[in-house]
Structures are given as C-alpha cells and as structure tokens.
Amino acid sequence: MDLNTVVEIRDARHPAPWRPGDAWLGGGTYLFSEPQPHLRRLVDLSRTGWTPVRPHPDGSLEIAATCTIAQLSRFAREFRAEAAPLFEQCCRAFLASFKIWNMATVGGNLCNSLPAGPMISLTAALDGECLLHAQDGVRRRVRVVDFVTGAGRKVLTEGELLRSITLPARALACRTAFRQASLYGLGRSGALVIGTLDPVDHSLAITITASTVRPVRLWFPLPPTADGLRAAIDAAVADDEWFDDIHGLPAWRRHMTFRYAEDIRRELSHGEEPQ
C-alpha cells in the first residue's frame, strides 16, 4: 500500500533528531499493509548491516531486529543446539508466503506486539532479552515477557529502537515442546504454548502466547502436577487477558491453553505422548 503522507525516507546510518511523524522502517510488512496517516518520515534500517544472527563465546545468541524470518530459518537449519527445532516451528507459525518471509523481521514482529506474533513466542519461551536504544543514547535491557504489555502494546518510548534480542545459552540447551492451535488449517494462531525443560536443574517453563494479550512465562523449579500447572495458569492470566477476536473466543483459547500446557508437561516431565 502506498503511504501518501510520507514525504521523506531517511537512512538510519546517518543520525538526525527524531520528530513527530517519524517511524522506524525494517521490513515494512506491517507499515505498508494499511494506511498510516500519522506518518511523515520513515527511518530506514535496511542498510545498517547488522549481522542477522550472532553466536557469542558464552553460548548465547544475539538476533538483530532486522533479521528476517527467512534468515532466521536458514540459520536454524545448521544450528546445533537442543532448542534448535523450536526456531523453525515458530517461523512456520507465520503461515505466510515466501515474500513475507523474506521481508518481515524479528524486530518488527516484536514491535507490532500482536498476541499471535510467533517471534514473540520464540524469544519469550527462550527467556530472551531485548536491547533498546533511546534517542538520547541511553541503552536498556528488557526481557521479552516484559517488553510486550498487551495486544499491540509494548514498553518502547517515543523514538526508541529495538536493536536486538539475546537468547541465553542455558535456554538454548533446553529440551522443548511446541503446540499450536488455529480455527483454520492455514489460520492465525489462536493458542501457542511452548515448554522448555532445563537439563541442569530439571526446571520447567511454560510460555503462553496467542491465546493471551501478552506473553506469559511460568517457571517451575520442578515439573508440577497437572493440578498445580492449571492453578498456576489460572493465577497468572486474568479473565480479561484471554484474547478475543475473530480468530478465537476467550473460552476456546483458554481451553486449548490448558490442554496444550498439560500435553507439554507430560511430554517433557514423563516422556509421555499426548493423548
């Protein structure tokens, strides 16, 4: 879609004062999907040259905000980590065309902050941490589960940039389990639940996305009982935090979340296949 109110595109490599009507431009798959009448200038990140995925000596993994879904998928095919399959599972949760895969960015998916954002699911489940750059040069780090605060809401301040997301080595060494539900065969996620089992202390984390307005990550020092897991989800998700839109009613999303969380608990803690 043409954005006929935009009068300038600025290269992000050449800093300039931020002003009302500015927006960061990554892949543009959201910006150009609908009218943006409030925008006057786009600050283009496409030529920053940031390495899409960078392994660090401590075993952690830094994903640039400009990393596309296609680049992340290609990296994951050669990535030798226990949690590697989760990358492709979340990439496939887009159910998008190759054109979207080659343009949409990890950072854009987080910044849109939609409940069904699969890069939110991936990075929240692996205890990711966002690096944010403010216009005054201040940098801060925020966990992904705290970065997204609601449907379409995040903690970014005016002009603040999501630079990258870092996944810790310990999370990458975890066994994972993935469950996704949609009302349609090729529909948007209505519930997406991910489990991670730590090989060191056998702690279990259950991360809930798509069914809730914000990512919810529950951590248990040891795998809980079925009743304990259900109670923890009930306590963590308020009644008005179950998402409600055309892709699923709150009651259905809640039901599927409980069902998948229990499947994952049994799979990771007992090695049982779901019924």
Side-chain angles (χ1 to χ4, degrees):
M1 173 175 288
D2 292 336
L3 300 181
N4 55 21
T5 61
V6 172
V7 297
E8 181 184 354
I9 297 180
R10 180 172 67 80
D11 190 333
R13 295 174 299 177
H14 307 300
W18 190 265
R19 62 195 191 195
D22 282 359
W24 298 107
L25 172 61
T29 54
Y30 166 73
L31 278 181
F32 290 98
S33 69
E34 59 183 56
Q36 310 285 347
H38 62 291
L39 296 186
R40 299 294 179 269
R41 181 172 67 168
L42 301 180
V43 184
D44 184 14
L45 298 166
S46 65
R47 287 173 283 184
T48 53
W50 296 336
T51 302
V53 187
R54 186 193 302 274
H56 288 296
D58 65 358
S60 63
L61 202 64
E62 183 178 10
I63 305 172
T66 51
C67 175
T68 66
I69 307 309
Q71 288 171 327
L72 186 63
S73 174
R74 286 195 294 270
F75 171 84
R77 292 172 201 164
E78 305 298 326
F79 187 37
R80 297 294 177 259
E82 187 70 26
L86 186 61
F87 286 71
E88 186 68 11
Q89 288 170 321
C90 289
C91 287
R92 293 290 170 186
F94 268 102
L95 301 173
S97 72
F98 73 92
K99 292 180 287 185
I100 298 297
W101 267 47
N102 281 285
M103 293 301 296
T105 62
V106 174
N109 195 245
L110 267 72
C111 290
N112 281 343
S113 301
L114 300 178
M119 296 297 99
I120 299 172
S121 308
L122 171 67
T123 54
L126 295 178
D127 201 19
E129 186 178 65
C130 302
L131 174 60
L132 309 181
H133 290 190
Q135 287 296 305
D136 59 5
V138 173
R139 299 186 180 191
R140 62 181 177 130
R141 293 186 179 273
V142 178
R143 294 178 68 210
V144 173
V145 292
D146 299 320
F147 178 81
V148 179
T149 59
R153 301 201 310 268
K154 59 272 186 185
V155 299
L156 287 174
T157 59
E158 182 66 22
E160 197 170 27
L161 171 68
L162 170 59
R163 169 62 180 85
S164 62
I165 307 96
T166 299
L167 308 178
R170 188 153 176 177
L172 295 170
C174 289
R175 283 180 55 209
T176 64
F178 174 96
R179 298 290 190 279
Q180 178 195 18
S182 172
L183 288 176
Y184 315 100
L186 294 176
R188 180 178 294 180
S189 297
L192 200 159
V193 184
I194 295 170
T196 58
L197 185 69
D198 192 308
V200 177
D201 62 8
H202 306 292
S203 60
L204 176 70
I206 300 289
T207 302
I208 301 165
T209 54
S211 57
T212 50
V213 297
R214 58 178 177 85
V216 175
R217 189 173 189 269
L218 304 173
W219 181 84
F220 305 91
L222 290 174
T225 63
D227 288 343
L229 175 59
R230 189 177 186 89
I233 295 173
D234 261 335
V237 184
D239 289 343
D240 62 355
E241 290 186 312
W242 295 105
F243 194 46
D244 184 7
D245 73 352
I246 193 173
H247 299 285
L249 294 174
W252 173 77
R253 293 177 190 265
R254 182 175 181 271
H255 169 76
M256 295 306 297
T257 298
F258 282 127
R259 174 182 170 181
Y260 285 161
E262 173 58 14
D263 280 353
I264 287 172
R265 183 193 72 85
R266 294 177 63 183
E267 177 181 336
L268 292 181
S269 60
H270 303 300
E272 297 180 19
E273 293 297 323
Q275 299 296 315

